């Protein structure tokens, strides 16, 4: 396993500099009057992070993409959270919120879902180790740095993770387009775990069985499904709406 990785983009790099990961070097392509770049360089100086000037093409080769916004950071590998530690920290909470992703494979979807979870105030995102996207530079860029602000736990078995959540007092709600009841009819008070399925297949049957309830998003028009990251955002913010405004 590599002892270092490259993340890129202004927001991911800024959040990493603010976070707790070990940082080795900051790479910057050219000069810019961009206020965000000024702020980033100031933060790097405060953290005593070495700054290396690079040509834009060199940075593109380093990052494997041209979409780096002129900055890249060499850091230690992404530190996944331990689900048991997350649940221990939430012991006794009255309104915990955890997003569980069952086999989301597109790194852009994973990044968008982590970003939505962070914006909704979720305590953690749970993902499987196998047959699913993990946190990579693409995910960190797609999350706009949100991977540094919300715990991401990687587990070997999603069904077992749901059992752990239930034992910790969470009620499990799965997103399923075939469910008769909609999320707008569901009461999301108390500790809540939302399960979003992977692209195309949705929630796997065994994982679906582990849900206490399955609910759907009422769709209008001719398209019969939503992108996984859009569906996750809708579910997360329905929970937020109910908690801020009451179910009605």
């Amino acid at each position: 396993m590599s002892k270092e990785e490259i993340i890129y983009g202004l927001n991911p790099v800024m959040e990493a500099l603010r976070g707790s990961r070990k940082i080795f070097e900051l790479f910057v392509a050219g000069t810019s009057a961009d206020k965000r770049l000024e702020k980033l360089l100031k933060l790097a100086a405060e953290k005593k992070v070495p700054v290396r000037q690079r040509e834009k093409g060199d940075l593109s080769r380093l990052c494997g993409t041209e979409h780096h916004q002129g900055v890249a950071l060499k850091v230690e590998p992404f530190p996944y959270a331990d689900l048991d530690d997350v649940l221990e920290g939430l012991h006794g909470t009255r309104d915990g919120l955890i997003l569980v992703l069952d086999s989301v494979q597109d790194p852009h979807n994973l990044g968008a879902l982590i970003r939505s979870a962070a914006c909704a105030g979720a305590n953690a995102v749970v993902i499987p180790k196998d047959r699913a996207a993990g946190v990579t530079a693409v995910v960190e860029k797609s999350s706009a740095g949100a991977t540094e602000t919300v715990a991401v736990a990687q587990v070997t078995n999603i069904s077992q993770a749901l059992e752990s959540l239930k034992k910790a007092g969470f009620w499990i709600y799965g997103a399923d387009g075939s469910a008769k009841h909609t999320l707008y009819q569901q009461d999301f008070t108390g500790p809540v775990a939302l399960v979003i399925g992977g692209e195309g297949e949705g929630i796997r049957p065994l994982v679906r069985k582990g849900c206490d309830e399955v609910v759907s998003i009422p769709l209008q028009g001719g398209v019969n499904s939503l992108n996984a990251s859009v569906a996750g955002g809708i579910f997360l913010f329905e929970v937020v709406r109910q908690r801020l405004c009451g179910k009605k």
Side-chain angles (χ1 to χ4, degrees):
M1 183 178 178
S2 174
K3 293 182 180 179
E4 58 188 41
E5 63 181 47
I6 298 293
I7 61 176
Y8 54 82
L10 286 165
N11 283 333
V13 168
M14 180 68 79
E15 292 301 333
L17 284 168
R18 288 172 174 158
S20 58
R21 292 166 78 173
K22 184 177 181 181
I23 299 167
F24 301 109
E25 291 177 293
L26 171 64
F27 300 100
V28 178
T31 58
S32 173
D34 190 318
K35 293 290 185 184
R36 291 184 298 172
L37 183 55
E38 279 186 31
K39 190 174 180 180
L40 189 151
L41 290 170
K42 182 180 178 183
L43 184 57
E46 291 173 359
K47 292 287 189 81
K48 296 181 172 57
V49 175
V51 178
R52 313 295 185 200
Q53 198 73 29
R54 291 290 185 269
E55 294 296 327
K56 188 174 180 181
D58 292 337
L59 212 53
S60 296
R61 284 187 287 274
L62 179 67
C63 300
T65 178
E66 295 181 353
H67 303 295
H68 46 67
Q69 296 178 294
V71 294
L73 199 65
K74 185 184 290 186
V75 296
E76 67 177 343
F78 182 79
Y80 289 102
D82 183 275
L83 181 58
D84 289 337
D85 290 343
V86 171
L87 295 178
E88 185 177 339
L90 292 174
H91 181 69
T93 186
R94 297 177 59 187
D95 58 356
L97 175 58
I98 290 179
L99 179 65
V100 181
L101 305 179
D102 181 31
S103 304
V104 170
Q105 297 182 351
D106 186 318
H108 296 93
N109 278 339
L110 177 56
L113 283 158
I114 291 172
R115 183 177 186 176
S116 293
C119 290
N123 303 107
V125 177
V126 179
I127 62 174
K129 286 183 178 179
D130 300 319
R131 293 181 293 279
V135 178
T136 63
V138 174
V139 173
E140 295 186 69
K141 179 70 163 59
S142 299
S143 79
T147 51
E148 299 291 334
T149 66
V150 62
V152 180
Q154 198 177 48
V155 299
T156 55
N157 189 296
I158 289 293
S159 295
Q160 289 178 6
L162 296 186
E163 288 303 314
S164 295
L165 285 163
K166 287 180 183 180
K167 289 177 182 177
F170 281 77
W171 199 265
I172 315 295
Y173 300 98
D176 189 326
S178 65
K180 293 181 180 180
H181 291 94
T182 76
L183 77 164
Y184 303 120
Q185 298 170 303
Q186 184 63 56
D187 184 351
F188 288 117
T189 56
V192 166
L194 303 175
V195 184
I196 303 295
E199 301 86 355
E201 300 299 320
I203 299 174
R204 291 173 296 164
L206 191 60
V207 174
R208 192 183 192 279
K209 287 181 180 179
C211 297
D212 295 303
E213 300 282 353
V214 290
V215 290
S216 62
I217 298 171
L219 303 178
Q220 312 297 312
V223 180
N224 63 3
S225 65
L226 287 168
N227 171 277
S229 66
V230 173
I234 291 171
F235 270 85
L236 284 162
F237 281 92
E238 174 58 17
V239 175
V240 172
R241 185 196 69 80
Q242 288 191 20
R243 291 178 174 181
L244 290 176
C245 310
K247 186 173 184 293
K248 300 300 181 183

